[in-house]
Amino acid sequence: MVMDLTFCVRAILLCWLVILATMLMIYLTVSRLDFCGPNIIDHFFCDLEPLLELSCSDTFAMKLETFFLVIFLAICPVIVIIVSYVYIIFTILKIPSVTGRQKTFSTCSAHLSVVSLYYGSLIITYVFPRKFPSQENVKKILSLFYTVITPLLNPIIYSLSNREIKQALKSNVRNMSGAFRFSWFLEVSLFTVKHT
C-alpha cells in the first residue's frame, strides 16, 4: 500500500539527486587539487584514493570529506539494514512451520551475504586508513568486491530463487555438457585419424 508509483518515482529521484550532489561535491573538491607528479594510477580503475595519492596538494580536506560521505552513504544504510534484519528475524521466528522458516531464512541469508560483501568491502576500503604498504594490495582486491563481484552475484542470487530460472539453468548446463562431450569426441577422433 505504501509502495505506489508516486512513492517509487520520488524514491528514485531522491537517490539520483543524492548521488548527483555527492559526485558534484567530490568533483569540485578534486578539481581544486594540483597534480604535478606522475600520471599513472596504481589501481585497477580510477578510484578516488589512488587519484588523491597523485596530488601534490594537501588532500586532508578531501579525505575528511570522503570519510563523512562514507558514513552517510555506507554506514547509515548498513545500520538501517541491520535493524531491518533484526525485525525480519524476529518475524521469521514466529512462523509456525519449520520449512517456512528455512525457506525464508535461505532467502534472507543470500541477500544478507551480498549486502555484507558489498558494504563490508566498501567500508574497509574507505574508512580504515592504510598503515602498511601491503594493505594497498588488500584494498585493491577489496575494491573488486564492490565493483565487480557484488554486481555479478546480485542477478545470480536473486534469480536462482525462481524455480523456472533454476530449470532453465539446469537444461542449459546439460545441453552445454552434451555439446562439450560431442566436440571433445570429434577432436579426439580427428586427432586419431591424423596420427594413424
Side-chain angles (χ1 to χ4, degrees):
M1 301 217 14
V2 174
M3 296 293 290
D4 61 351
L5 182 63
T6 308
F7 180 83
C8 291
V9 169
R10 285 180 182 166
I12 289 170
L13 287 175
L14 178 67
C15 289
W16 284 352
L17 287 173
V18 167
I19 294 302
L20 182 66
T22 303
M23 296 313 297
L24 185 63
M25 188 169 51
I26 290 172
Y27 171 75
L28 292 174
T29 309
V30 169
S31 66
R32 284 188 242 138
L33 297 176
D34 294 323
F35 294 95
C36 53
N39 60 353
I40 299 171
I41 295 176
D42 186 27
H43 209 287
F44 298 116
F45 58 96
C46 186
D47 201 13
L48 185 60
E49 191 173 330
L51 184 67
L52 292 179
E53 289 175 7
L54 298 179
S55 174
C56 47
S57 304
D58 183 24
T59 58
F60 177 76
M62 185 68 217
K63 289 181 180 180
L64 192 64
E65 181 180 307
T66 305
F67 179 77
F68 285 116
L69 284 173
V70 168
I71 288 174
F72 176 68
L73 296 174
I75 294 177
C76 289
V78 165
I79 292 170
V80 170
I81 290 169
I82 289 170
V83 169
S84 299
Y85 267 97
V86 167
Y87 281 109
I88 289 170
I89 288 170
F90 282 128
T91 304
I92 290 172
L93 291 175
K94 293 177 184 175
I95 296 174
S97 71
V98 176
T99 55
R101 280 194 300 252
Q102 287 175 342
K103 189 174 180 181
T104 311
F105 267 127
S106 70
T107 303
C108 290
S109 64
H111 176 257
L112 194 57
S113 62
V114 172
V115 166
S116 302
L117 188 68
Y118 178 75
Y119 281 111
S121 60
L122 197 66
I123 289 169
I124 289 171
T125 302
Y126 286 103
V127 172
F128 298 109
R130 281 180 306 154
K131 294 181 181 172
F132 306 106
S134 62
Q135 285 179 323
E136 180 136 351
N137 292 331
V138 171
K139 288 197 175 200
K140 286 179 188 176
I141 293 169
L142 283 175
S143 68
L144 287 176
F145 281 105
Y146 65 83
T147 57
V148 176
I149 294 174
T150 305
L152 283 174
L153 286 178
N154 270 333
I156 294 169
I157 286 177
Y158 294 118
S159 63
L160 284 182
S161 62
N162 188 330
R163 194 175 308 144
E164 290 84 17
I165 293 195
K166 281 183 187 177
Q167 289 300 111
L169 183 66
K170 284 179 185 177
S171 67
N172 282 338
V173 168
R174 270 191 241 116
N175 291 342
M176 285 179 12
S177 66
F180 175 74
R181 278 188 247 131
F182 181 71
S183 66
W184 179 79
F185 173 74
L186 282 177
E187 286 180 27
V188 169
S189 301
L190 289 173
F191 180 79
T192 307
V193 169
K194 282 182 185 176
H195 290 81
T196 52

